[in-house]
Amino acid sequence: MAGAIKLREREDEYRRTWTFDNFSTLEPTEIFWADQYRWLESQGYLLRPRYHPNWIPTWKRTKTCIIECEDSYLPPFNHVMDATRMSDGETVTLKRIVKSKNSDEVDIAKFFSEPLASDPKNHCVPLLDVLEVPEYEGMVLLVMPILRPFNRPKIWTFGEAVEFFRQVFEGIQFMHKHHYAHRDCTGKNIMMDARKLFPNGFHPVNIDFDYKRDRFARHWTRTERPPKYLLIDFGISTFHDPKNGPPLDLPVRGIDRTAPEMEFMDVRFGFDFMVPLITDMTQEEPLKRPSIDEVVTRFEAIYRSLSFKLLRTRMVGRDEDEGATAFYDFLYFFRRMRYAFMRIPPVPRAVLKALSSSPAGNATPICCKLCPMRIPEEQFITHMQIEHSEYSICGYCGDYRNTTEEIEGHIRRNHSSA
């Protein structure tokens, strides 16, 4: 608590002499980060030029318009800041935590990062570092990868949406397996690791632009470069010891009261196949809701019942007029042709099934230049070495067989419309 009090005093002190000058002076909520510039640099993290002790706004040194200057942008949250890791140039996120207010968040983040980071079913945001802030007792900075909202850029197809659902359910199931409840799993607390989508990166504040802000950030589609969705913010998450019986925590109010799945159903047509499951998951009486294991099982059955045609179909927004629909359909036609030509599956799903159910519990990918399915190597694993045997992987659902002929038969039987 002492750190939080000192932070408030520092902001109040700065506010007494501060005047707004068209973003040419730091906001009171930014002064903490400017104070830590040199210390963070000594720890290997470099803040943007705006927070340098000798900062002079670009628009005052040049004739550049203020909205075109990178150092005119403020972070969206007072307690979150972006930085560059000096060892490799990677952009990271710094989250300020007061231990007295979020006593368990650091421990939970460490638990899912250190011993469990390599588990493919783990969808908790990885913790890269924990920094104790000097002179602010009880305050730490959590260092995490730079992430994007799960829906920016938007999800285009039903196959991409299905993969989003699968990963979120898998991540919650993984937390519950280790007796942790997130308790605030809403759309704002689901992000994605978009490094594959944006190979050249993006600006950490104005995320639609590249880091220099001189053009829009170029990106692949989710079907071409599947992202990994991650759960963040364990501020109200709790551990339940199974020895104490079923968890009986009182409900708490999080940042949002809507389920992330509802976002698709509210703004897109065609999600009738999810209505029965979502209805059961949002029952008023908690005891009537299915467990996460039941949810995963039911969702897997739903997924397998969906046709290839539907999974490849573009989602239509409820707010689209006829002109917008015609325009988006025209754009997607050529994208769909590219997917078909390159044999890219409709569900951008990494081959985790073979990894998790392999005889040895471990598998090593094999590059195959002559794969008859012609799936790009960087997009999908087509062959895999398990123990000392080579297996062929189905590019549509992740099942694997001993020979290429067997997997081709599997595809004809189960994915004939492909």
Side-chain angles (χ1 to χ4, degrees), residues 140-387:
V140 299
L141 300 181
L142 305 185
V143 183
M144 298 170 288
I146 189 74
L147 304 176
R148 292 177 66 96
F150 76 88
N151 54 0
R152 291 182 64 182
K154 69 178 183 179
I155 296 176
W156 272 75
T157 70
F158 284 97
E160 293 174 354
V162 164
E163 174 61 6
F164 167 78
F165 295 147
R166 184 193 71 80
Q167 290 197 35
V168 172
F169 292 152
E170 183 178 69
I172 298 173
Q173 183 186 40
F174 186 81
M175 290 191 71
H176 288 196
K177 176 183 176 181
H178 292 87
H179 313 297
Y180 281 92
H182 190 284
R183 306 179 77 201
D184 197 14
C185 187
T186 65
K188 294 180 180 179
N189 281 336
I190 301 175
M191 307 286 281
M192 67 174 173
D193 182 349
R195 285 176 293 182
K196 291 182 179 180
L197 277 179
F198 293 81
N200 297 321
F202 53 89
H203 193 274
V205 177
N206 198 346
I207 63 175
D208 293 327
F209 287 82
D210 65 7
Y211 201 90
K212 294 182 179 180
R213 291 199 66 261
D214 56 359
R215 64 182 181 183
F216 284 104
R218 298 179 179 179
H219 61 86
W220 296 90
T221 68
R222 296 162 197 262
T223 299
E224 294 168 314
R225 298 290 185 272
K228 183 168 185 175
Y229 300 101
L230 299 170
L231 304 175
I232 67 168
D233 194 355
F234 307 115
I236 59 175
S237 301
T238 55
F239 173 78
H240 297 287
D241 192 334
K243 297 179 182 178
N244 298 330
L248 298 174
D249 283 350
L250 293 174
V252 295
R253 183 181 295 272
I255 61 174
D256 192 358
R257 300 185 68 184
T258 59
E261 298 85 357
M262 298 300 292
E263 178 168 331
F264 293 91
M265 300 170 66
D266 290 342
V267 301
R268 298 284 189 271
F269 291 109
F271 281 94
D272 296 343
F273 59 89
M274 289 292 291
V275 171
L277 178 58
I278 299 303
T279 301
D280 288 347
M281 292 174 63
T282 54
Q283 293 264 18
E284 288 290 336
E285 177 57 48
L287 293 178
K288 293 182 180 180
R289 301 171 192 165
S291 68
I292 188 60
D293 291 335
E294 294 172 4
V295 169
V296 170
T297 300
R298 288 177 58 180
F299 178 76
E300 186 69 21
I302 292 172
Y303 158 63
R304 292 191 177 280
S305 71
L306 302 179
S307 66
F308 179 93
K309 182 179 180 180
L310 175 63
L311 294 172
R312 185 69 90 191
T313 301
R314 183 184 77 84
M315 299 186 298
V316 178
R318 295 183 183 273
D319 60 347
E320 285 185 20
D321 56 30
E322 292 183 0
T325 298
F327 175 73
Y328 288 129
D329 285 345
F330 176 76
L331 291 180
Y332 184 64
F333 171 80
F334 295 98
R335 184 177 293 180
R336 185 168 183 167
M337 293 300 99
R338 185 171 74 250
Y339 293 161
F341 177 76
M342 297 182 66
R343 295 288 188 92
I344 299 177
V347 179
R349 182 173 179 175
V351 185
L352 299 179
K353 186 172 183 179
L355 288 169
S356 60
S357 59
S358 64
N362 189 24
T364 303
I366 295 178
C367 270
C368 182
K369 300 287 186 181
L370 303 176
C371 177
M373 293 181 65
R374 304 294 183 192
I375 298 175
E377 296 168 12
E378 68 274 11
Q379 160 67 21
F380 232 74
I381 300 172
T382 56
H383 291 82
M384 186 172 288
Q385 183 79 26
I386 302 176
E387 288 186 328

Side-chain angles (χ1 to χ4, degrees), residues 353-355 357-359 386 391-394 398-402 407:
K353 186 172 183 179
L355 288 169
S357 59
S358 64
I386 302 176
Y391 291 80
S392 296
I393 307 298
C394 173
D399 280 332
Y400 61 98
R401 299 291 188 272
N402 291 93
I407 206 65

Side-chain angles (χ1 to χ4, degrees), residues 90-135:
E90 285 288 325
T91 305
V92 297
T93 298
L94 309 177
K95 181 178 181 181
R96 187 177 64 213
I97 295 289
V98 178
K99 288 184 177 180
S100 59
K101 295 182 179 179
N102 306 89
S103 57
D104 296 330
E105 183 166 4
V106 177
D107 294 334
I108 294 174
K110 284 183 177 181
F111 175 79
F112 284 104
S113 294
E114 294 170 356
L116 303 172
S118 60
D119 195 312
K121 295 185 177 181
N122 182 3
H123 291 269
C124 296
V125 59
L127 188 61
L128 306 177
D129 201 355
V130 179
L131 306 175
E132 298 278 348
V133 183
E135 300 181 7

Side-chain angles (χ1 to χ4, degrees), residues 29-30 33 51 74-82 93-96 149 188 191 205 232 255:
T29 53
E30 295 180 281
W33 298 105
Y51 304 100
L74 280 62
F77 302 102
N78 299 336
H79 65 293
V80 177
M81 179 57 66
D82 60 274
T93 298
L94 309 177
K95 181 178 181 181
R96 187 177 64 213
K188 294 180 180 179
M191 307 286 281
V205 177
I232 67 168
I255 61 174

Side-chain angles (χ1 to χ4, degrees), residues 393-418:
I393 307 298
C394 173
Y396 297 99
C397 67
D399 280 332
Y400 61 98
R401 299 291 188 272
N402 291 93
T403 66
T404 301
E405 290 73 18
E406 289 177 352
I407 206 65
E408 288 176 344
H410 160 84
I411 292 174
R412 285 193 297 269
R413 292 190 299 272
N414 297 282
H415 310 287
S416 57
S417 58

